[in-house]
Amino acid sequence: MTTSKLLPDDLSQTLRAHQGGSHENGYFVYDIPALKQHLAKLEQQDVVKLWYAVKANPLSSVIQAVADSGIQFDVASKGELTQVLLQNVEAEKILNTGPAKSFQQIAYFLQQGVNTFVVESYNQLQWLAQAAKEQGKQPDALLRVQLRWPEGEKNPLGGNSLTPFGMGTEEWSGVRANDFPSVNICGLHIFQWGNMLSNRQMFSLWGQMVEPLVDLAERVGFALKVLDLGGGLGVDYLETGQGIDWQQAMADLAQIKQQAGVAELWLELGRYAVAPFGYYVTDVVDRKTNFGKEQLVLAAGINHLLRPAITDQPFPVSLLRQSSAPLADFHLHGPLCTSMDKLGCLPLPDDIQVGDQLVFSLAGAYGFTESMPLFLCHEVAAEYVYDNHQLTEVRAAQPATWYMR
């Protein structure tokens, strides 16, 4: 008997009984109690200070769960800042990241009480110093650094590629900390690889970062108190059986912390914090055999789950109802008029039919807010939270008339 992978039995029963609205061609649901348990485990260590990258999932219930855990917040836009502050999070618990910080945005964040900034360029450092002087403040700043290795691997975040994130050590080495008395330059930020699944690879990358970063701090002329290693801890979308071992990561980071001689190590977790606790459900609207391949056409596709089109990595999927049929490979397509609308070729029970529902796992990160719902005027997905053994609608599915003008 097969049923939804990674889906708790009580939640699976609740979803099978769910009757959505008339426009509900697909919906997200987030398991809040399971998320809270996971976040609590992440905080049971004294090696690193954790920040939650809000870009992964800015839903109010998720932010509230993160805040309750004691983890602080990495925000990269005014919209994310507003959303976090609306959940009664103190501005002092917010770190401002992002490559496109203008003087106006920096000044606004300072006015709102944010005191910690990752600066990505010489301009941003100057703007932060100017805004701080005008407002009579002295914020903390981390310089974001790009490093290059002889054999860097390719990755959506950049790896060795030229990206807008920070600057190289040679470019930063012309800065003198004493020239910016209104800013407390206290650390460096380095993050270039995303969704890593190997502790060994992560430790190797972290270890190579230490020497050039310590040297850069000496050249710029400040005491390196904070080293922010960003995120990059991955989840196993392809179900390879690989993944980051959290306790091993903490042991590795304890060595990095000692090697760098810093008072604080920071991590900014996104998908590793929330991905396993979100699901996406949609209907099968057609099944056919084409060129000897089995195909399923779904009520929604990359208009709700864009990630497969960007990364060529599908979300794991299962049939929501129980089935004892043998598994077969199915090519999964959404409703958009483009061949890009494909959610992968994945195994499902061979008795699947029109009207069945599929549930995609690991959809707690980079789901709803990374989607492209406007193309072809399809419906915007609904969102639910699962708590106290019941679903609560956060946002109803909306037809195109909701946003068309």
Side-chain angles (χ1 to χ4, degrees), residues 204-269:
S204 175
L205 289 169
W206 287 333
Q208 293 177 69
M209 295 173 183
V210 172
E211 183 177 350
L213 294 180
V214 169
D215 177 68
L216 175 61
E218 292 178 355
R219 284 192 280 171
V220 175
F222 69 94
L224 182 59
K225 298 179 180 179
V226 177
L227 185 55
D228 186 341
L229 298 174
L233 282 69
V235 298
D236 188 12
Y237 290 102
L238 298 180
E239 300 183 298
T240 63
Q242 301 177 8
I244 294 294
D245 180 282
W246 181 250
Q247 295 305 320
Q248 182 61 54
M250 291 303 100
D252 292 342
L253 286 169
Q255 294 186 49
I256 297 298
K257 188 175 183 178
Q258 182 178 23
Q259 183 182 349
V262 294
E264 295 185 22
L265 271 185
W266 294 357
L267 283 182
E268 302 160 6
L269 302 181

